[in-house]
């Protein structure tokens, strides 16, 4: 918490004389009491602020911020973003249904990415008249053409090209190298556009690229866009004019206690400058697809300590949240700052913070120096707004958490806690 007091990157701050952690103006202790734990809490205020950072960074050109739904697909968050002008990047028919449920008026602002779209998913997206399909293979393009023909409509598409750019991030979320499953080799793209331009059911509309996630430097974004705008210029000279460049998502956040280095406005400005420079004369519309950067730091997972136990030299803090609620530490060895909601005085000690799931991989922190905590205390796992609830599961037949959206001093439940009947609802004996 040392630097947190002046850290603009998070909406969670100690408030009042007793220093209880609050989200915007709402005490996490009060929310835990009202809704139970584990509980996801989001600052809607920060989510909108982050969206606006991108919107104003690109205000000088025609653009659309297509929030990547997979980072956090809560309907209330989608609605909030849509109301503030966002479009959406989806990767499944389920995500399309979510956007249509939360903000049907935003259908025309949806781009559909993903390496394996089914005919049913394509049909649903054609019917919804989405903005563009980001196509990842020639066979998918053929499928798109055949579905469009059946409906008698022209499908707008972009090829998601693979620019062969290395982005320094966790190998599971790096996507821009030729050896990855994503995209079409950029060297083959021109020929595919030329052929598609002759197909009456296809409209070459854009080029897209997405090189990975949690990328902290602006350089790889610039490198990828340089290659993409070169291709766009080449195609234009051959008579295939594309009106959109989609730069994808991937801008990373600082999961370690913030400070100046992680000033979000500066980060977005640097990212935008790299992209602007690389667009090099492209006059069409720019799309970007940020997910994590918009929602990650707006969210915390609030959990109660069930038990503190010692095994040999190790101290384990066992929480009522587990890897099924937040899998990032187990899946990506990710770091999450963990802070007591109501700090106790005393010396720090080194602990493991773990959940009750029957897996050694079920941990939130290992060998972490923490202020004393006791059974019954509340902890907040920070920066949990992205790829937290969205990647949660019912593993160990655990019911998934509730979600609360805070805006200033107001708050509301936006997803109720699952109950046992929800878990059993789809099964037959
Ligand atoms: C995951 C993904 C994003 C969002 O990535 P973030 O790192 O959350 O910004 C954007 N576009 C595509 C195609 C994706 O797969």
């Amino acid at each position: 918490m040392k630097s947190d007091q002046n850290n603009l990157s998070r909406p969670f701050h100690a408030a009042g004389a007793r220093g209880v952690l609050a989200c915007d103006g709402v005490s996490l202790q009060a929310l835990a009491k009202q809704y139970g734990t584990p509980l996801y809490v989001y600052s809607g205020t920060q989510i909108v602020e982050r969206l606006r950072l991108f919107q104003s960074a690109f205000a000088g050109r025609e653009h659309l911020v297509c929030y990547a739904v997979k980072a956090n697909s809560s309907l209330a968050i989608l609605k909030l973003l849509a109301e503030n002008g966002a479009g959406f990047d989806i990767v499944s028919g389920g995500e399309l249904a979510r956007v249509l449920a939360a903000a049907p008026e935003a259908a025309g602002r949806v781009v559909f990415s993903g390496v394996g779209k089914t005919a049913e998913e394509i049909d649903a997206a054609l019917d919804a008249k989405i903005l563009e399909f980001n196509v990842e293979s020639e066979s998918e393009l053929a499928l798109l053409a055949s579905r469009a023909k059946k409906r008698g409509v022209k499908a707008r598409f972009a090829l998601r090209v693979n620019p062969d750019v290395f982005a320094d991030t966790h190998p599971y979320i790096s996507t821009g190298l030729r050896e990855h499953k994503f995209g079409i080799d950029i060297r083959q793209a021109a020929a595919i556009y030329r052929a598609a331009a002759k197909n009456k059911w296809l409209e070459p509309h854009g080029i897209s690229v997405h090189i990975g996630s949690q990328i902290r430097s602006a350089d790889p974004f610039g490198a990828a866009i340089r290659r993409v705008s070169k291709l766009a210029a080449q195609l234009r000279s051959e008579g295939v004019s594309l009106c959109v460049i989609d730069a994808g998502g991937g801008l990373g956040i600082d999961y370690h206690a913030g400070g100046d280095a992680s000033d979000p406005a500066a980060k977005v400005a640097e990212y935008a400058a790299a992209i602007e420079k690389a667009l090099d004369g492209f006059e069409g519309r720019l799309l970007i697809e940020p997910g994590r950067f918009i929602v990650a730091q707006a969210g915390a997972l609030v959990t109660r300590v069930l038990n503190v136990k010692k095994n040999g030299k190790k101290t384990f803090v066992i929480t009522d949240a587990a890897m099924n609620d937040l899998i990032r530490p187990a899946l990506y060895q990710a770091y999450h700052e963990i802070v007591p909601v109501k700090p106790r005085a005393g010396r720090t000690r080194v602990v493991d913070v773990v959940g009750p799931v029957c897996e050694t991989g079920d941990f939130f922190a290992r060998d972490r120096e923490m202020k004393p905590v006791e059974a019954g205390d509340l902890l907040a796992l920070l920066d949990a707004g992205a790829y937290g609830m969205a990647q949660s599961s019912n593993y160990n037949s655990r019911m998934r958490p509730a979600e609360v959206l805070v805006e200033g001093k107001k708050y509301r439940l936006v997803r109720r806690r699952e109950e046992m009947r929800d878990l059993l609802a789809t099964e037959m004996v």
Side-chain angles (χ1 to χ4, degrees), residues 9-52:
S9 55
R10 292 185 183 124
F12 297 91
H13 298 284
R18 286 153 70 222
V20 174
L21 202 63
C23 174
D24 290 354
V26 179
S27 152
L28 296 185
Q29 198 172 30
L31 290 177
K33 191 167 169 214
Q34 186 169 353
Y35 300 112
T37 54
L39 181 71
Y40 274 102
V41 179
Y42 309 110
S43 162
T45 317
Q46 172 165 109
I47 290 171
V48 173
E49 275 169 17
R50 289 289 171 100
L51 171 65
R52 294 216 174 110

Short mmCIF file of all heavy atoms in Angstrom, two decimals, residues 9-52:
data_model
loop_
_atom_site.label_atom_id
_atom_site.label_comp_id
_atom_site.label_asym_id
_atom_site.label_seq_id
_atom_site.Cartn_x
_atom_site.Cartn_y
_atom_site.Cartn_z
N SER A 9 -3.52 5.18 -10.60
CA SER A 9 -3.92 4.09 -11.48
C SER A 9 -4.97 3.17 -10.86
O SER A 9 -5.50 2.33 -11.54
CB SER A 9 -2.69 3.30 -11.94
OG SER A 9 -1.96 2.86 -10.84
N ARG A 10 -5.25 3.33 -9.57
CA ARG A 10 -6.27 2.46 -8.96
C ARG A 10 -7.35 3.26 -8.23
O ARG A 10 -7.03 4.25 -7.59
CB ARG A 10 -5.62 1.51 -7.95
CG ARG A 10 -4.71 0.49 -8.58
CD ARG A 10 -4.23 -0.48 -7.50
NE ARG A 10 -3.31 -1.44 -8.05
CZ ARG A 10 -2.07 -1.64 -7.57
NH1 ARG A 10 -1.63 -0.93 -6.55
NH2 ARG A 10 -1.30 -2.55 -8.10
N PRO A 11 -8.59 2.79 -8.28
CA PRO A 11 -9.66 3.50 -7.57
C PRO A 11 -9.83 3.03 -6.13
O PRO A 11 -10.77 3.43 -5.46
CB PRO A 11 -10.89 3.14 -8.40
CG PRO A 11 -10.59 1.79 -8.94
CD PRO A 11 -9.10 1.69 -9.11
N PHE A 12 -8.93 2.18 -5.64
CA PHE A 12 -9.05 1.65 -4.28
C PHE A 12 -8.10 2.38 -3.35
O PHE A 12 -6.89 2.37 -3.56
CB PHE A 12 -8.76 0.14 -4.28
CG PHE A 12 -9.75 -0.62 -5.11
CD1 PHE A 12 -9.50 -0.87 -6.45
CD2 PHE A 12 -10.95 -1.05 -4.56
CE1 PHE A 12 -10.43 -1.54 -7.24
CE2 PHE A 12 -11.89 -1.72 -5.34
CZ PHE A 12 -11.62 -1.97 -6.67
N HIS A 13 -8.65 3.03 -2.33
CA HIS A 13 -7.84 3.83 -1.42
C HIS A 13 -8.34 3.67 0.00
O HIS A 13 -9.54 3.48 0.22
CB HIS A 13 -7.93 5.31 -1.80
CG HIS A 13 -7.39 5.59 -3.17
ND1 HIS A 13 -6.04 5.63 -3.44
CD2 HIS A 13 -8.02 5.81 -4.34
CE1 HIS A 13 -5.87 5.86 -4.73
NE2 HIS A 13 -7.05 5.97 -5.30
N ALA A 14 -7.41 3.75 0.93
CA ALA A 14 -7.78 3.74 2.34
C ALA A 14 -8.54 5.03 2.65
O ALA A 14 -8.11 6.11 2.26
CB ALA A 14 -6.54 3.63 3.20
N ALA A 15 -9.68 4.89 3.34
CA ALA A 15 -10.51 6.07 3.59
C ALA A 15 -10.89 6.15 5.06
O ALA A 15 -10.94 5.14 5.76
CB ALA A 15 -11.77 6.01 2.73
N GLY A 16 -11.14 7.35 5.51
CA GLY A 16 -11.63 7.56 6.88
C GLY A 16 -10.54 7.38 7.91
O GLY A 16 -9.41 6.99 7.60
N ALA A 17 -10.88 7.64 9.17
CA ALA A 17 -9.91 7.60 10.26
C ALA A 17 -9.34 6.20 10.44
O ALA A 17 -8.18 6.02 10.80
CB ALA A 17 -10.57 8.08 11.54
N ARG A 18 -10.17 5.17 10.16
CA ARG A 18 -9.70 3.80 10.41
C ARG A 18 -9.02 3.19 9.19
O ARG A 18 -8.59 2.04 9.23
CB ARG A 18 -10.86 2.94 10.89
CG ARG A 18 -11.25 3.28 12.35
CD ARG A 18 -12.70 2.97 12.66
NE ARG A 18 -12.93 1.53 12.71
CZ ARG A 18 -13.99 0.91 12.17
NH1 ARG A 18 -14.89 1.61 11.54
NH2 ARG A 18 -14.14 -0.38 12.28
N GLY A 19 -8.92 3.96 8.15
CA GLY A 19 -8.15 3.50 7.00
C GLY A 19 -8.74 2.29 6.30
O GLY A 19 -8.01 1.46 5.77
N VAL A 20 -10.07 2.20 6.29
CA VAL A 20 -10.70 1.05 5.62
C VAL A 20 -10.68 1.28 4.11
O VAL A 20 -10.96 2.39 3.63
CB VAL A 20 -12.16 0.86 6.12
CG1 VAL A 20 -12.87 -0.22 5.32
CG2 VAL A 20 -12.16 0.52 7.60
N LEU A 21 -10.34 0.22 3.38
CA LEU A 21 -10.21 0.35 1.93
C LEU A 21 -11.58 0.60 1.29
O LEU A 21 -12.57 -0.07 1.62
CB LEU A 21 -9.60 -0.95 1.38
CG LEU A 21 -8.91 -0.88 0.03
CD1 LEU A 21 -7.70 0.04 0.08
CD2 LEU A 21 -8.49 -2.28 -0.40
N ALA A 22 -11.61 1.55 0.37
CA ALA A 22 -12.86 1.89 -0.31
C ALA A 22 -12.64 1.90 -1.82
O ALA A 22 -11.53 2.14 -2.30
CB ALA A 22 -13.35 3.26 0.14
N CYS A 23 -13.70 1.62 -2.56
CA CYS A 23 -13.70 1.74 -4.02
C CYS A 23 -14.46 3.01 -4.34
O CYS A 23 -15.63 3.15 -3.94
CB CYS A 23 -14.41 0.55 -4.64
SG CYS A 23 -14.60 0.70 -6.43
N ASP A 24 -13.83 3.95 -5.04
CA ASP A 24 -14.39 5.30 -5.15
C ASP A 24 -14.74 5.74 -3.73
O ASP A 24 -13.88 5.75 -2.87
CB ASP A 24 -15.60 5.35 -6.09
CG ASP A 24 -15.23 5.15 -7.56
OD1 ASP A 24 -14.02 5.08 -7.87
OD2 ASP A 24 -16.15 5.06 -8.40
N GLY A 25 -16.03 6.00 -3.45
CA GLY A 25 -16.38 6.42 -2.11
C GLY A 25 -17.06 5.34 -1.27
O GLY A 25 -17.69 5.64 -0.25
N VAL A 26 -16.97 4.08 -1.66
CA VAL A 26 -17.76 3.04 -0.99
C VAL A 26 -16.85 2.03 -0.28
O VAL A 26 -15.96 1.44 -0.89
CB VAL A 26 -18.67 2.31 -2.00
CG1 VAL A 26 -19.48 1.23 -1.33
CG2 VAL A 26 -19.59 3.31 -2.71
N SER A 27 -17.09 1.84 1.01
CA SER A 27 -16.27 0.95 1.82
C SER A 27 -16.41 -0.51 1.38
O SER A 27 -17.53 -1.03 1.24
CB SER A 27 -16.68 1.08 3.29
OG SER A 27 -16.43 -0.12 3.99
N LEU A 28 -15.28 -1.17 1.21
CA LEU A 28 -15.32 -2.59 0.82
C LEU A 28 -15.84 -3.45 1.96
O LEU A 28 -16.44 -4.50 1.74
CB LEU A 28 -13.93 -3.06 0.39
CG LEU A 28 -13.34 -2.40 -0.86
CD1 LEU A 28 -12.01 -3.04 -1.24
CD2 LEU A 28 -14.32 -2.48 -2.04
N GLN A 29 -15.63 -2.98 3.20
CA GLN A 29 -16.14 -3.71 4.34
C GLN A 29 -17.68 -3.73 4.31
O GLN A 29 -18.31 -4.76 4.51
CB GLN A 29 -15.66 -3.01 5.62
CG GLN A 29 -15.75 -3.88 6.85
CD GLN A 29 -15.08 -3.20 8.05
OE1 GLN A 29 -15.04 -1.97 8.15
NE2 GLN A 29 -14.55 -4.00 8.94
N ALA A 30 -18.25 -2.58 4.02
CA ALA A 30 -19.71 -2.49 3.94
C ALA A 30 -20.25 -3.36 2.80
O ALA A 30 -21.26 -4.07 2.95
CB ALA A 30 -20.14 -1.04 3.75
N LEU A 31 -19.56 -3.35 1.66
CA LEU A 31 -20.03 -4.16 0.52
C LEU A 31 -19.93 -5.65 0.85
O LEU A 31 -20.84 -6.42 0.52
CB LEU A 31 -19.21 -3.84 -0.73
CG LEU A 31 -19.44 -2.45 -1.34
CD1 LEU A 31 -18.50 -2.23 -2.53
CD2 LEU A 31 -20.90 -2.27 -1.76
N ALA A 32 -18.85 -6.06 1.51
CA ALA A 32 -18.69 -7.47 1.87
C ALA A 32 -19.78 -7.89 2.84
O ALA A 32 -20.30 -9.01 2.78
CB ALA A 32 -17.31 -7.70 2.48
N LYS A 33 -20.13 -6.98 3.74
CA LYS A 33 -21.18 -7.29 4.72
C LYS A 33 -22.53 -7.46 4.02
O LYS A 33 -23.29 -8.39 4.29
CB LYS A 33 -21.24 -6.17 5.76
CG LYS A 33 -22.10 -6.50 6.95
CD LYS A 33 -21.88 -5.51 8.09
CE LYS A 33 -22.97 -5.74 9.14
NZ LYS A 33 -23.37 -4.49 9.79
N GLN A 34 -22.79 -6.58 3.08
CA GLN A 34 -24.09 -6.62 2.40
C GLN A 34 -24.20 -7.78 1.42
O GLN A 34 -25.26 -8.41 1.31
CB GLN A 34 -24.32 -5.29 1.67
CG GLN A 34 -25.70 -5.18 1.05
CD GLN A 34 -26.00 -3.77 0.58
OE1 GLN A 34 -25.25 -2.82 0.82
NE2 GLN A 34 -27.13 -3.62 -0.09
N TYR A 35 -23.13 -8.07 0.67
CA TYR A 35 -23.24 -9.04 -0.43
C TYR A 35 -22.46 -10.33 -0.21
O TYR A 35 -22.54 -11.24 -1.02
CB TYR A 35 -22.79 -8.39 -1.74
CG TYR A 35 -23.62 -7.19 -2.12
CD1 TYR A 35 -23.09 -5.91 -2.10
CD2 TYR A 35 -24.97 -7.34 -2.48
CE1 TYR A 35 -23.86 -4.81 -2.44
CE2 TYR A 35 -25.74 -6.24 -2.82
CZ TYR A 35 -25.18 -4.98 -2.80
OH TYR A 35 -25.95 -3.89 -3.14
N GLY A 36 -21.70 -10.41 0.87
CA GLY A 36 -20.90 -11.61 1.12
C GLY A 36 -19.63 -11.63 0.31
O GLY A 36 -19.36 -10.73 -0.50
N THR A 37 -18.84 -12.66 0.53
CA THR A 37 -17.57 -12.83 -0.19
C THR A 37 -17.49 -14.26 -0.72
O THR A 37 -18.21 -15.11 -0.20
CB THR A 37 -16.36 -12.58 0.75
OG1 THR A 37 -16.50 -13.43 1.89
CG2 THR A 37 -16.25 -11.13 1.16
N PRO A 38 -16.64 -14.53 -1.72
CA PRO A 38 -15.87 -13.58 -2.50
C PRO A 38 -16.76 -12.67 -3.33
O PRO A 38 -17.84 -13.08 -3.77
CB PRO A 38 -14.99 -14.45 -3.38
CG PRO A 38 -15.49 -15.85 -3.26
CD PRO A 38 -16.41 -15.93 -2.10
N LEU A 39 -16.27 -11.45 -3.57
CA LEU A 39 -17.07 -10.44 -4.24
C LEU A 39 -16.18 -9.62 -5.17
O LEU A 39 -15.14 -9.12 -4.75
CB LEU A 39 -17.67 -9.51 -3.17
CG LEU A 39 -18.57 -8.38 -3.66
CD1 LEU A 39 -19.90 -8.92 -4.18
CD2 LEU A 39 -18.83 -7.38 -2.51
N TYR A 40 -16.60 -9.51 -6.42
CA TYR A 40 -15.91 -8.60 -7.33
C TYR A 40 -16.52 -7.21 -7.21
O TYR A 40 -17.74 -7.07 -7.23
CB TYR A 40 -16.03 -9.08 -8.78
CG TYR A 40 -14.98 -10.08 -9.18
CD1 TYR A 40 -15.27 -11.43 -9.26
CD2 TYR A 40 -13.68 -9.67 -9.47
CE1 TYR A 40 -14.29 -12.36 -9.64
CE2 TYR A 40 -12.70 -10.58 -9.85
CZ TYR A 40 -13.01 -11.92 -9.92
OH TYR A 40 -12.03 -12.82 -10.29
N VAL A 41 -15.65 -6.21 -7.07
CA VAL A 41 -16.11 -4.82 -6.97
C VAL A 41 -15.39 -4.02 -8.07
O VAL A 41 -14.17 -4.10 -8.20
CB VAL A 41 -15.77 -4.24 -5.58
CG1 VAL A 41 -16.22 -2.78 -5.50
CG2 VAL A 41 -16.43 -5.07 -4.48
N TYR A 42 -16.18 -3.25 -8.84
CA TYR A 42 -15.60 -2.46 -9.94
C TYR A 42 -15.94 -0.99 -9.78
O TYR A 42 -17.06 -0.66 -9.39
CB TYR A 42 -16.16 -2.91 -11.29
CG TYR A 42 -16.09 -4.39 -11.54
CD1 TYR A 42 -17.26 -5.15 -11.56
CD2 TYR A 42 -14.87 -5.02 -11.75
CE1 TYR A 42 -17.20 -6.53 -11.80
CE2 TYR A 42 -14.81 -6.38 -11.99
CZ TYR A 42 -15.97 -7.14 -12.00
OH TYR A 42 -15.91 -8.49 -12.23
N SER A 43 -15.02 -0.14 -10.15
CA SER A 43 -15.30 1.29 -10.23
C SER A 43 -15.73 1.64 -11.65
O SER A 43 -14.91 1.65 -12.57
CB SER A 43 -14.05 2.09 -9.87
OG SER A 43 -14.21 3.43 -10.33
N GLY A 44 -17.01 1.91 -11.81
CA GLY A 44 -17.51 2.34 -13.12
C GLY A 44 -16.89 3.67 -13.53
O GLY A 44 -16.66 3.93 -14.71
N THR A 45 -16.59 4.48 -12.53
CA THR A 45 -15.97 5.78 -12.79
C THR A 45 -14.65 5.58 -13.52
O THR A 45 -14.37 6.22 -14.53
CB THR A 45 -15.70 6.51 -11.45
OG1 THR A 45 -16.84 6.35 -10.61
CG2 THR A 45 -15.37 7.96 -11.65
N GLN A 46 -13.83 4.66 -12.98
CA GLN A 46 -12.53 4.46 -13.63
C GLN A 46 -12.67 3.82 -15.01
O GLN A 46 -11.92 4.16 -15.93
CB GLN A 46 -11.59 3.60 -12.78
CG GLN A 46 -10.35 3.28 -13.60
CD GLN A 46 -9.17 2.75 -12.82
OE1 GLN A 46 -8.84 1.59 -12.93
NE2 GLN A 46 -8.53 3.59 -12.06
N ILE A 47 -13.62 2.92 -15.17
CA ILE A 47 -13.80 2.26 -16.47
C ILE A 47 -14.08 3.32 -17.55
O ILE A 47 -13.49 3.30 -18.63
CB ILE A 47 -14.93 1.21 -16.38
CG1 ILE A 47 -14.46 0.02 -15.52
CG2 ILE A 47 -15.36 0.73 -17.77
CD1 ILE A 47 -15.54 -0.98 -15.16
N VAL A 48 -14.96 4.26 -17.22
CA VAL A 48 -15.29 5.32 -18.20
C VAL A 48 -14.08 6.23 -18.43
O VAL A 48 -13.79 6.62 -19.56
CB VAL A 48 -16.53 6.11 -17.73
CG1 VAL A 48 -16.77 7.32 -18.63
CG2 VAL A 48 -17.76 5.21 -17.71
N GLU A 49 -13.36 6.54 -17.34
CA GLU A 49 -12.16 7.38 -17.50
C GLU A 49 -11.15 6.75 -18.45
O GLU A 49 -10.55 7.42 -19.29
CB GLU A 49 -11.46 7.56 -16.14
CG GLU A 49 -12.01 8.69 -15.30
CD GLU A 49 -11.46 8.63 -13.86
OE1 GLU A 49 -10.44 7.94 -13.61
OE2 GLU A 49 -12.09 9.26 -13.00
N ARG A 50 -10.97 5.45 -18.30
CA ARG A 50 -10.00 4.75 -19.15
C ARG A 50 -10.44 4.75 -20.62
O ARG A 50 -9.63 4.94 -21.52
CB ARG A 50 -9.80 3.31 -18.67
CG ARG A 50 -9.05 3.19 -17.36
CD ARG A 50 -7.59 3.55 -17.55
NE ARG A 50 -6.90 3.65 -16.29
CZ ARG A 50 -6.13 2.68 -15.78
NH1 ARG A 50 -5.98 1.55 -16.41
NH2 ARG A 50 -5.52 2.86 -14.63
N LEU A 51 -11.74 4.53 -20.84
CA LEU A 51 -12.25 4.59 -22.20
C LEU A 51 -11.96 5.96 -22.80
O LEU A 51 -11.51 6.09 -23.94
CB LEU A 51 -13.76 4.30 -22.20
CG LEU A 51 -14.49 4.54 -23.53
CD1 LEU A 51 -14.00 3.57 -24.60
CD2 LEU A 51 -16.01 4.40 -23.35
N ARG A 52 -12.21 7.00 -21.99
CA ARG A 52 -12.03 8.37 -22.50
C ARG A 52 -10.57 8.68 -22.81
O ARG A 52 -10.27 9.46 -23.71
CB ARG A 52 -12.56 9.38 -21.46
CG ARG A 52 -14.06 9.24 -21.30
CD ARG A 52 -14.75 10.58 -21.07
NE ARG A 52 -16.18 10.37 -21.08
CZ ARG A 52 -16.96 10.47 -19.99
NH1 ARG A 52 -16.43 10.81 -18.82
NH2 ARG A 52 -18.25 10.24 -20.08
#
